[in-house]
């Protein structure tokens, strides 16, 4: 199987890293606890007057590079690769792409080794990428084409209202992928 | 139509920029004139003892960012977009990716504007990207999947031995694409 795996909030804990840095940078500022996140983008949950500050944190140097892995994800991908599946890391750049793109490549190299960098596919439209499965926390993935993949939702607090897709976390992935 | 367009040596004149910088940096060194290039990679044409120097030039800061456009390519892509076709820039990173990836995005932004950056698909395996046509100077494009696209060869001196594909240059593209 070709298994496309999203990076932010699926393999890399973007939300946790943001919140940690947010509270460190602005200790007295409003924040939303991780389990109360409801929108896919932070901008959907935080008030407008904070969005510039939020953006600055997420676009900052070394933010993406240092994202902590979500527990179990690295091991799951390694196991899928060892079992002969073709995993591709399928990610989208941020609008302010200067730091994030290279750092996404560095993140994959750091956690999976130099060769795995060739498994990265950077695209804003994941429907144009062929695969059997796409594991992604984004509730709705649309684009130019009708996808060849089944979208398996990576379980996050912000997407718990979605009920029309299979849902996976890195502690139950074998049951879901091989169901 | 979804038209995938390669960047290096299809839209951006990688070979010309390399040769110019090579001769400037090493004026007394061996070189191959542009019309005598025969391999897809410079490494196929140049002797082994020069490869480290060559690599250093191609991986250098601002090399990719400043690649000159191949005459007519920018205008052709704009015309295809204006006609309602969906052009995606489909490119592969170099092994030393630190400068090249971000600079490829900067190159697209510089020549097509900020919005066009969302049209970039970075992948080492172009067979995983769906499209109707792929315009690319690489003689043989293989990968995991059977392509959905027809590979139209972008005409370069190094690929003139290939005879089993339609061949296009930016001065005859309308005749070839709409043949």
């Amino acid at each position: 199987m070709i298994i496309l795996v999203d990076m932010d909030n699926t393999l890399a804990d973007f939300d946790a890293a943001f919140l940690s840095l947010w509270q460190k940078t602005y200790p007295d500022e409003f924040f939303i606890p991780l389990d109360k996140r409801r929108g896919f983008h932070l901008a959907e949950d935080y008030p407008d007057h904070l969005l510039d500050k939020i953006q600055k944190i997420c676009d900052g140097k070394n933010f993406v590079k240092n994202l902590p892995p979500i527990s179990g994800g690295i091991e799951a991908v390694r196991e899928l690769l060892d079992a002969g599946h073709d995993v591709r890391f399928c990610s989208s750049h941020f609008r302010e792409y200067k730091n994030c793109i290279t750092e996404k490549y560095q993140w994959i190299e750091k956690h999976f080794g130099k060769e795995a960098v060739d498994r990265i596919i950077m695209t804003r439209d994941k429907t144009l990428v062929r695969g059997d499965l796409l594991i992604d926390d984004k509730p709705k993935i649309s684009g130019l084409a009708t996808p060849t993949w089944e979208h398996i939702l990576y379980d996050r607090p912000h997407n718990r209202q979605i009920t029309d897709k299979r849902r996976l976390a890195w502690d139950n992935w074998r049951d879901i992928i091989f169901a």
Side-chain angles (χ1 to χ4, degrees), chain A residues 21 54-67 94 96-104 106:
Chain A
L21 193 51
I54 289 171
Q55 205 59 49
K56 212 169 163 185
I57 282 187
C58 301
D59 291 337
K61 201 161 170 55
N62 294 326
F63 178 73
V64 166
K65 189 175 162 180
N66 293 331
L67 289 176
F94 310 160
E96 197 51 64
Y97 59 77
K98 205 169 173 213
N99 293 321
C100 87
I101 310 171
T102 304
E103 292 188 16
K104 278 171 186 273
Q106 290 172 323

Side-chain angles (χ1 to χ4, degrees), chain A residues 53-114:
Chain A
K53 284 179 178 170
I54 289 171
Q55 205 59 49
K56 212 169 163 185
I57 282 187
C58 301
D59 291 337
K61 201 161 170 55
N62 294 326
F63 178 73
V64 166
K65 189 175 162 180
N66 293 331
L67 289 176
I70 293 178
S71 179
I74 310 279
E75 296 75 10
V77 168
R78 286 209 191 107
E79 199 173 318
L80 285 166
L81 287 168
D82 288 345
H85 297 290
D86 202 290
V87 178
R88 305 280 161 158
F89 306 106
C90 196
S91 187
S92 303
H93 64 269
F94 310 160
R95 282 203 71 75
E96 197 51 64
Y97 59 77
K98 205 169 173 213
N99 293 321
C100 87
I101 310 171
T102 304
E103 292 188 16
K104 278 171 186 273
Y105 282 62
Q106 290 172 323
W107 196 92
I108 292 296
E109 180 170 350
K110 177 177 169 186
H111 294 287
F112 294 99
K114 183 85 180 168

Side-chain angles (χ1 to χ4, degrees), chain A residues 9 15-16 18-19 23 30-47 156-161:
Chain A
N9 280 332
D15 275 4
F18 164 75
L19 184 59
Q23 294 190 289
F30 170 84
F31 72 93
I32 293 173
L34 292 178
D35 61 348
K36 295 280 185 289
R37 290 267 293 106
R38 293 294 174 266
F40 174 69
H41 293 108
L42 291 165
E44 296 167 50
D45 284 359
Y46 280 78
R156 296 292 277 187
H158 75 75
N159 64 29
R160 299 252 160 88
Q161 76 287 5

